[in-house]
Amino acid sequence: MAPDANTAIMPTDLLRPDLLRLNASPAGKEEAIREAAQLLIAAGCIDSAYAASMLRREAVANTFLGHGVAIPHGMVEDRGLVRRSGIAVLQVPGGIEWNPGQTAHLVVAIAAQSDAHIAVLRRLTRLMQDEARLTALFTVTDPTALAATLSEDAPVTAPTTPGGDLAERFDWVVDYPTGLHARPATAWVETARASTARIQVRHGDLVADAKALVALLQLGLRAGDSVVVSAEGDDAVAALARMKATITRLTAREKADAAAAAQKSRAPVRGWTPPNPLPAVPGIAASPGLAIGPVHVLPRAAVSVPDEPVPLIEGGDRLHEALSLTRQNLKALADDTARRLGPSEAAIFTAQAEILNDTDLVTLACQLMVEGHGVAWSWHRAVERTAAGLAALDNPVLAARAADLRDVGQRVLARIDPALRTGGAPDLPDTPCILIAEDLSPSDTAALDMARVIGLATAQGGPTSHTAILARTLGLPAMVAGGAALMELANGTPAILDGQTGRLHLSPAEADTADARAWIAREEARKAEEEARRGLPARTRDGHDVEIGANVNRPDQVAVALSQGAESVGLMRTEFLFLERGDAPGEDEQYETYRGMLTALEGRPLIVRALDIGGDKQVPHLQLPHEENPFLGVRGARLLLRKPELLETQLRALYRAAKDGGALSIMFPMITALGEVQALRAACDRIRAELDAPAVPLGIMVEVPAAAIQTDVLARHVDFFSIGTNDLTQYALAIDRQHPELAAEADSLHPAVLRLIRLTVEGAERHGRWVGVCGGIAGDPFGAALLTGLGVRELSMTPRDIPAVKDRLRGSDLSALRQAAQRALDCETADAVRALDGGEA
Ligand code: PEP
Ligand code: MG
């Protein structure tokens, strides 16, 4: 990087030994500022009046930078009191309260005549991303170590600096067929972050911090590339062993994914051939199917981000808040996508969230702010610069990731300033259209109004882009990489999009359209045959029926679930009505949604789960207190009982929907004790009476071992049970369901979990109640078989898991399933249970 004004003066000139005071213990913030000012006065940096100016500043602005660091400085108009630039550092190991809830351990008092202090601030912003190194400074006893750490100024473009290896190392040749893309890289970063050691990955002269996703991606690693992974620090040897385990563990999955993709691409292309040659825009096939309709071109979203400088501290706060809200939002999105579509699709959003933790990206934005630019402008610039860097590397995988980076960047921008919100639901004509866009972000694709978009064609992007993956999941014909010609099309041009061959045929004649319609009809007939098979009941060979439900949260997802063979909705997670938006939906809006679900189900059963907020599902706008251990905190029913306004609004909306007809049941999450059930039942009874609504079955989720063990007691008070095996497994095995390292061990087929399920069934049967399962294991064919053998009567799952589960049950005998379940209960380990797979039919 070319030297600029900010690096011309070395920060060491500013951080002189006489300006550092270690182990200070000021009585409070004012005393700390005065003590730091005294150092600056003694060193001849400021007039004594500047101390008062620093205190005045505190009254009008917050100088707490975050992560234990405060940077007091004087008012702009008092710059004349600064004689020469200097920085005093007061280390306060015991900490002082800077503002309520904010404790400072490093008080970095700035006297700035020019912008010479910026290098130190830049260093501080970098350190704030490296918690371990920063915290070490709070207690370090060697002043030169403190000065050295604050003076180091690694270049921003760290990922591409040549460098040597660290003390411990291992060599590895990339054997991921599609190279190091965002999903495996995210797993590397997670493992690296779990350690305090410094870990880096080197490929030739390029070195990346293993804790920084974008830096890793910028290495552009392809299959066959040699890398050296090295580490230093306390934990280096163990950290490297964990890195190696993660890196090599992913190989099998990467190879399997690539093989599946290759097999798909070898499958005969059953595209449509127009009877007469037509002008066409060729692209790359991304999602199969044929769409006939007018095109609608989305104009390029020209985001103009104004540069509106604000005080550095305020800008830092706004960026920090925007990043953490976006992180929470992406987590919710990943969670919802995992529950609805599956882990691969969810990984799209997990990888996006990881981008936000990228030190270099955040530091770049901070540096631009420190240079005097506005927060939105700085963030946008940092994202654009990094994305352009990724797109410029001659690597199609990374080019696709540039779209992700811009997508996530846009989310943050909208949080910084809602006026900069773009994308979301585009303006679409009323008649269904083939949507043409330069590129579509995964968020835009996920938010498309499926009633008005019948196909997608993008000028850019690649077949492995997340947009393409989502289009396939949504069943929307799509092609990508159609080039600039696409954007030149006039709105309304009639077209036929073939997602199998990746071609957009233009201005078809009547005969072409008729031929395409006939092709669609043949495809639909083929699909209908498949659907008919899925529509058969899950009846075992000896005549036992298991009800198959879908886990669906929105009315517009019901049709897909039914086409997969769902007979009901066994779990509607209503918290997702809250999680992806900035405010809480009111009673009317909720009523419309529940009504919409019941209407779409046309009389089939719907089980609505009351809000399960807390744990991994945080709703920022409810401003709930922070909990150290949210999975063991005020979650689910516990929260509902403490927030009557949430509970009552939801119950009123539900009972109003019940009055309009349909087969509604209500169930409550995270029940632990009988008292909760009684209180919730009483609330239901009261609201039902107020609204003169019909009684509906009331059930509870069994997610906590206490509830499973006491099912016989609870069964007197509820109408049904649905076991949430995701949580039941986490609480029974004491494994955080999102733990990156342990999650693989959290097997819902662990014999301990199966015994809890058996207890639940026995307790419920004693009072004639039925038990369902709506956790992930219900959608695993072998899991479904064992659950049926254990006496579970209803299984609710992600819609696309339904056909395989039905096939499995239809090929089994209940008597054999019961025996298999008994064998599973007697197993000693989860692996032993898994080994029974296939032996029960
Ligand atoms: C479960 O815990 O299994 C469940 C279905 O609920 P959720 O995944 O929403 O916590
Ligand atoms: Mg749960």
Side-chain angles (χ1 to χ4, degrees), residues 335 339 551 571 573 575-576 609 612 616-617 635 701-703 722-728 737 773-776:
D335 210 25
R339 290 168 215 247
N551 295 350
L571 173 64
R573 293 177 162 105
E575 56 278 7
F576 287 102
R609 177 173 77 182
D612 181 22
D616 57 333
K617 288 171 281 193
R635 182 190 164 185
M701 296 213 42
V702 175
E703 303 180 278
S722 185
I723 306 179
T725 43
N726 307 335
D727 275 312
L728 187 61
R737 61 195 265 182
V773 170
C774 59

mmCIF file of all heavy atoms in Angstrom, residues 335 339 551 571 573 575-576 609 612 616-617 635 701-703 722-728 737 773-776, ligand 1:
data_model
loop_
_atom_site.group_PDB
_atom_site.id
_atom_site.type_symbol
_atom_site.label_atom_id
_atom_site.label_comp_id
_atom_site.label_asym_id
_atom_site.label_seq_id
_atom_site.Cartn_x
_atom_site.Cartn_y
_atom_site.Cartn_z
ATOM 1 N N ASP A 335 -31.197 -19.621 10.870
ATOM 2 C CA ASP A 335 -31.939 -20.542 11.705
ATOM 3 C C ASP A 335 -33.240 -20.957 11.011
ATOM 4 O O ASP A 335 -33.576 -22.130 10.907
ATOM 5 C CB ASP A 335 -32.269 -19.787 12.994
ATOM 6 C CG ASP A 335 -32.361 -20.719 14.144
ATOM 7 O OD1 ASP A 335 -31.746 -21.779 14.062
ATOM 8 O OD2 ASP A 335 -33.067 -20.394 15.104
ATOM 9 N N ARG A 339 -34.202 -24.636 9.434
ATOM 10 C CA ARG A 339 -35.381 -25.383 9.866
ATOM 11 C C ARG A 339 -36.312 -25.638 8.690
ATOM 12 O O ARG A 339 -36.969 -26.657 8.616
ATOM 13 C CB ARG A 339 -36.111 -24.605 10.964
ATOM 14 C CG ARG A 339 -35.335 -24.582 12.270
ATOM 15 C CD ARG A 339 -35.923 -23.569 13.239
ATOM 16 N NE ARG A 339 -34.868 -22.945 14.016
ATOM 17 C CZ ARG A 339 -34.692 -23.101 15.325
ATOM 18 N NH1 ARG A 339 -35.484 -23.861 16.012
ATOM 19 N NH2 ARG A 339 -33.720 -22.495 15.942
ATOM 20 N N ASN A 551 -43.326 -28.556 8.635
ATOM 21 C CA ASN A 551 -42.942 -27.396 9.446
ATOM 22 C C ASN A 551 -42.886 -26.195 8.507
ATOM 23 O O ASN A 551 -41.990 -26.082 7.674
ATOM 24 C CB ASN A 551 -41.565 -27.610 10.084
ATOM 25 C CG ASN A 551 -41.575 -28.757 11.076
ATOM 26 O OD1 ASN A 551 -42.646 -29.277 11.418
ATOM 27 N ND2 ASN A 551 -40.409 -29.158 11.546
ATOM 28 N N LEU A 571 -46.049 -27.841 12.783
ATOM 29 C CA LEU A 571 -45.316 -26.815 13.530
ATOM 30 C C LEU A 571 -45.240 -25.545 12.698
ATOM 31 O O LEU A 571 -44.623 -25.524 11.632
ATOM 32 C CB LEU A 571 -43.887 -27.296 13.844
ATOM 33 C CG LEU A 571 -42.954 -26.247 14.473
ATOM 34 C CD1 LEU A 571 -43.459 -25.816 15.849
ATOM 35 C CD2 LEU A 571 -41.523 -26.783 14.604
ATOM 36 N N ARG A 573 -43.721 -22.021 13.316
ATOM 37 C CA ARG A 573 -42.870 -21.309 14.289
ATOM 38 C C ARG A 573 -43.188 -19.814 14.187
ATOM 39 O O ARG A 573 -42.632 -19.115 13.340
ATOM 40 C CB ARG A 573 -41.408 -21.547 13.977
ATOM 41 C CG ARG A 573 -40.929 -22.979 14.189
ATOM 42 C CD ARG A 573 -39.465 -23.096 13.772
ATOM 43 N NE ARG A 573 -38.811 -24.259 14.313
ATOM 44 C CZ ARG A 573 -38.516 -25.357 13.607
ATOM 45 N NH1 ARG A 573 -38.846 -25.441 12.349
ATOM 46 N NH2 ARG A 573 -37.877 -26.358 14.178
ATOM 47 N N GLU A 575 -42.398 -17.295 15.941
ATOM 48 C CA GLU A 575 -41.388 -16.270 16.273
ATOM 49 C C GLU A 575 -40.752 -15.699 15.010
ATOM 50 O O GLU A 575 -40.226 -14.598 15.012
ATOM 51 C CB GLU A 575 -40.313 -16.808 17.216
ATOM 52 C CG GLU A 575 -39.569 -18.036 16.783
ATOM 53 C CD GLU A 575 -40.335 -19.326 17.066
ATOM 54 O OE1 GLU A 575 -41.499 -19.251 17.482
ATOM 55 O OE2 GLU A 575 -39.766 -20.404 16.841
ATOM 56 N N PHE A 576 -40.832 -16.458 13.897
ATOM 57 C CA PHE A 576 -40.230 -15.929 12.682
ATOM 58 C C PHE A 576 -41.033 -14.773 12.084
ATOM 59 O O PHE A 576 -40.550 -14.054 11.231
ATOM 60 C CB PHE A 576 -39.956 -17.056 11.679
ATOM 61 C CG PHE A 576 -38.798 -17.882 12.140
ATOM 62 C CD1 PHE A 576 -38.994 -19.114 12.736
ATOM 63 C CD2 PHE A 576 -37.516 -17.381 12.070
ATOM 64 C CE1 PHE A 576 -37.922 -19.846 13.225
ATOM 65 C CE2 PHE A 576 -36.439 -18.098 12.556
ATOM 66 C CZ PHE A 576 -36.638 -19.336 13.129
ATOM 67 N N ARG A 609 -47.425 -22.839 17.004
ATOM 68 C CA ARG A 609 -46.677 -22.763 18.251
ATOM 69 C C ARG A 609 -46.598 -21.300 18.690
ATOM 70 O O ARG A 609 -46.235 -20.427 17.907
ATOM 71 C CB ARG A 609 -45.256 -23.299 18.054
ATOM 72 C CG ARG A 609 -44.440 -23.148 19.324
ATOM 73 C CD ARG A 609 -43.115 -23.821 19.211
ATOM 74 N NE ARG A 609 -42.180 -23.052 18.420
ATOM 75 C CZ ARG A 609 -40.946 -23.463 18.154
ATOM 76 N NH1 ARG A 609 -40.544 -24.651 18.585
ATOM 77 N NH2 ARG A 609 -40.132 -22.738 17.439
ATOM 78 N N ASP A 612 -41.694 -18.645 20.510
ATOM 79 C CA ASP A 612 -40.560 -19.250 21.215
ATOM 80 C C ASP A 612 -39.372 -18.309 21.060
ATOM 81 O O ASP A 612 -38.468 -18.542 20.267
ATOM 82 C CB ASP A 612 -40.248 -20.632 20.624
ATOM 83 C CG ASP A 612 -39.080 -21.300 21.344
ATOM 84 O OD1 ASP A 612 -38.802 -20.921 22.497
ATOM 85 O OD2 ASP A 612 -38.448 -22.190 20.757
ATOM 86 N N ASP A 616 -31.588 -19.196 21.110
ATOM 87 C CA ASP A 616 -30.898 -18.761 19.895
ATOM 88 C C ASP A 616 -31.754 -17.813 19.070
ATOM 89 O O ASP A 616 -31.316 -17.341 18.034
ATOM 90 C CB ASP A 616 -30.504 -19.988 19.055
ATOM 91 C CG ASP A 616 -31.709 -20.861 18.703
ATOM 92 O OD1 ASP A 616 -32.691 -20.841 19.466
ATOM 93 O OD2 ASP A 616 -31.645 -21.567 17.681
ATOM 94 N N LYS A 617 -32.976 -17.544 19.510
ATOM 95 C CA LYS A 617 -33.844 -16.682 18.707
ATOM 96 C C LYS A 617 -34.093 -15.357 19.421
ATOM 97 O O LYS A 617 -35.055 -15.216 20.166
ATOM 98 C CB LYS A 617 -35.147 -17.419 18.394
ATOM 99 C CG LYS A 617 -34.920 -18.533 17.375
ATOM 100 C CD LYS A 617 -36.097 -19.422 17.183
ATOM 101 C CE LYS A 617 -36.212 -20.422 18.289
ATOM 102 N NZ LYS A 617 -37.159 -21.502 18.021
ATOM 103 N N ARG A 635 -36.936 -18.031 28.222
ATOM 104 C CA ARG A 635 -37.139 -18.451 26.848
ATOM 105 C C ARG A 635 -38.517 -19.081 26.709
ATOM 106 O O ARG A 635 -39.032 -19.657 27.670
ATOM 107 C CB ARG A 635 -36.041 -19.481 26.535
ATOM 108 C CG ARG A 635 -36.084 -19.984 25.159
ATOM 109 C CD ARG A 635 -35.201 -21.141 24.847
ATOM 110 N NE ARG A 635 -35.732 -21.648 23.595
ATOM 111 C CZ ARG A 635 -35.344 -22.726 22.973
ATOM 112 N NH1 ARG A 635 -34.388 -23.443 23.480
ATOM 113 N NH2 ARG A 635 -35.915 -23.104 21.856
ATOM 114 N N MET A 701 -44.944 -28.444 23.874
ATOM 115 C CA MET A 701 -43.757 -29.069 23.316
ATOM 116 C C MET A 701 -42.991 -29.741 24.444
ATOM 117 O O MET A 701 -42.897 -29.203 25.546
ATOM 118 C CB MET A 701 -42.870 -28.025 22.658
ATOM 119 C CG MET A 701 -43.576 -27.403 21.501
ATOM 120 S SD MET A 701 -42.561 -26.898 20.136
ATOM 121 C CE MET A 701 -41.378 -28.108 19.842
ATOM 122 N N VAL A 702 -42.476 -30.894 24.138
ATOM 123 C CA VAL A 702 -41.601 -31.565 25.105
ATOM 124 C C VAL A 702 -40.174 -31.350 24.612
ATOM 125 O O VAL A 702 -39.744 -31.953 23.632
ATOM 126 C CB VAL A 702 -41.946 -33.064 25.205
ATOM 127 C CG1 VAL A 702 -40.955 -33.770 26.131
ATOM 128 C CG2 VAL A 702 -43.361 -33.237 25.702
ATOM 129 N N GLU A 703 -39.507 -30.419 25.260
ATOM 130 C CA GLU A 703 -38.161 -30.047 24.815
ATOM 131 C C GLU A 703 -37.163 -30.098 25.966
ATOM 132 O O GLU A 703 -35.974 -29.962 25.768
ATOM 133 C CB GLU A 703 -38.167 -28.621 24.256
ATOM 134 C CG GLU A 703 -39.141 -28.451 23.119
ATOM 135 C CD GLU A 703 -39.143 -27.039 22.566
ATOM 136 O OE1 GLU A 703 -39.802 -26.165 23.152
ATOM 137 O OE2 GLU A 703 -38.511 -26.830 21.537
ATOM 138 N N SER A 722 -45.977 -32.439 21.451
ATOM 139 C CA SER A 722 -45.109 -32.528 20.281
ATOM 140 C C SER A 722 -43.678 -32.414 20.784
ATOM 141 O O SER A 722 -43.334 -31.445 21.476
ATOM 142 C CB SER A 722 -45.437 -31.400 19.289
ATOM 143 O OG SER A 722 -44.651 -31.586 18.130
ATOM 144 N N ILE A 723 -42.881 -33.416 20.477
ATOM 145 C CA ILE A 723 -41.522 -33.424 21.032
ATOM 146 C C ILE A 723 -40.602 -32.617 20.128
ATOM 147 O O ILE A 723 -40.510 -32.880 18.924
ATOM 148 C CB ILE A 723 -40.988 -34.860 21.158
ATOM 149 C CG1 ILE A 723 -41.970 -35.715 21.973
ATOM 150 C CG2 ILE A 723 -39.603 -34.871 21.811
ATOM 151 C CD1 ILE A 723 -41.539 -37.166 22.135
ATOM 152 N N GLY A 724 -39.953 -31.622 20.706
ATOM 153 C CA GLY A 724 -38.957 -30.832 19.982
ATOM 154 C C GLY A 724 -37.610 -31.489 20.214
ATOM 155 O O GLY A 724 -36.904 -31.181 21.165
ATOM 156 N N THR A 725 -37.290 -32.430 19.323
ATOM 157 C CA THR A 725 -36.068 -33.216 19.583
ATOM 158 C C THR A 725 -34.799 -32.377 19.460
ATOM 159 O O THR A 725 -33.766 -32.749 20.006
ATOM 160 C CB THR A 725 -35.985 -34.415 18.620
ATOM 161 O OG1 THR A 725 -36.358 -33.961 17.322
ATOM 162 C CG2 THR A 725 -36.887 -35.541 19.056
ATOM 163 N N ASN A 726 -34.884 -31.248 18.735
ATOM 164 C CA ASN A 726 -33.670 -30.419 18.623
ATOM 165 C C ASN A 726 -33.280 -29.931 20.015
ATOM 166 O O ASN A 726 -32.132 -30.040 20.446
ATOM 167 C CB ASN A 726 -33.908 -29.200 17.723
ATOM 168 C CG ASN A 726 -34.477 -29.589 16.371
ATOM 169 O OD1 ASN A 726 -34.285 -30.708 15.926
ATOM 170 N ND2 ASN A 726 -35.174 -28.673 15.730
ATOM 171 N N ASP A 727 -34.258 -29.372 20.722
ATOM 172 C CA ASP A 727 -33.953 -28.874 22.059
ATOM 173 C C ASP A 727 -33.835 -30.009 23.070
ATOM 174 O O ASP A 727 -32.986 -29.957 23.959
ATOM 175 C CB ASP A 727 -35.027 -27.875 22.510
ATOM 176 C CG ASP A 727 -34.709 -26.492 21.989
ATOM 177 O OD1 ASP A 727 -33.553 -26.068 22.149
ATOM 178 O OD2 ASP A 727 -35.603 -25.857 21.410
ATOM 179 N N LEU A 728 -34.698 -31.017 22.940
ATOM 180 C CA LEU A 728 -34.624 -32.103 23.918
ATOM 181 C C LEU A 728 -33.217 -32.723 23.894
ATOM 182 O O LEU A 728 -32.649 -33.052 24.937
ATOM 183 C CB LEU A 728 -35.688 -33.168 23.610
ATOM 184 C CG LEU A 728 -35.806 -34.262 24.660
ATOM 185 C CD1 LEU A 728 -36.209 -33.703 26.014
ATOM 186 C CD2 LEU A 728 -36.821 -35.342 24.236
ATOM 187 N N ARG A 737 -26.953 -26.608 20.775
ATOM 188 C CA ARG A 737 -27.310 -27.124 19.449
ATOM 189 C C ARG A 737 -26.588 -26.400 18.330
ATOM 190 O O ARG A 737 -26.584 -26.851 17.187
ATOM 191 C CB ARG A 737 -28.830 -27.071 19.245
ATOM 192 C CG ARG A 737 -29.412 -25.693 19.317
ATOM 193 C CD ARG A 737 -30.909 -25.753 19.483
ATOM 194 N NE ARG A 737 -31.607 -25.639 18.204
ATOM 195 C CZ ARG A 737 -32.925 -25.624 18.093
ATOM 196 N NH1 ARG A 737 -33.690 -25.747 19.161
ATOM 197 N NH2 ARG A 737 -33.497 -25.495 16.931
ATOM 198 N N VAL A 773 -43.723 -35.636 16.870
ATOM 199 C CA VAL A 773 -42.354 -35.116 16.937
ATOM 200 C C VAL A 773 -42.207 -34.083 15.827
ATOM 201 O O VAL A 773 -42.588 -34.347 14.677
ATOM 202 C CB VAL A 773 -41.303 -36.239 16.746
ATOM 203 C CG1 VAL A 773 -39.902 -35.657 16.570
ATOM 204 C CG2 VAL A 773 -41.313 -37.181 17.942
ATOM 205 N N CYS A 774 -41.700 -32.892 16.171
ATOM 206 C CA CYS A 774 -41.507 -31.876 15.130
ATOM 207 C C CYS A 774 -40.065 -31.409 15.052
ATOM 208 O O CYS A 774 -39.741 -30.470 14.352
ATOM 209 C CB CYS A 774 -42.444 -30.694 15.337
ATOM 210 S SG CYS A 774 -42.221 -29.894 16.939
ATOM 211 N N GLY A 775 -39.159 -32.074 15.751
ATOM 212 C CA GLY A 775 -37.728 -31.746 15.649
ATOM 213 C C GLY A 775 -37.142 -32.404 14.407
ATOM 214 O O GLY A 775 -37.797 -33.217 13.738
ATOM 215 N N GLY A 776 -35.887 -32.056 14.124
ATOM 216 C CA GLY A 776 -35.259 -32.475 12.873
ATOM 217 C C GLY A 776 -35.242 -33.978 12.629
ATOM 218 O O GLY A 776 -35.327 -34.420 11.481
HETATM 219 C C1 PEP B 1 -37.167 -28.442 18.545
HETATM 220 O O1 PEP B 1 -36.588 -27.940 19.517
HETATM 221 O O2 PEP B 1 -36.973 -29.612 18.158
HETATM 222 C C2 PEP B 1 -38.144 -27.644 17.786
HETATM 223 C C3 PEP B 1 -38.903 -28.200 16.865
HETATM 224 O O3 PEP B 1 -38.192 -26.320 18.063
HETATM 225 P P1 PEP B 1 -37.110 -25.271 17.523
HETATM 226 O O4 PEP B 1 -36.191 -25.985 16.583
HETATM 227 O O5 PEP B 1 -37.856 -24.177 16.869
HETATM 228 O O6 PEP B 1 -36.434 -24.823 18.779
#
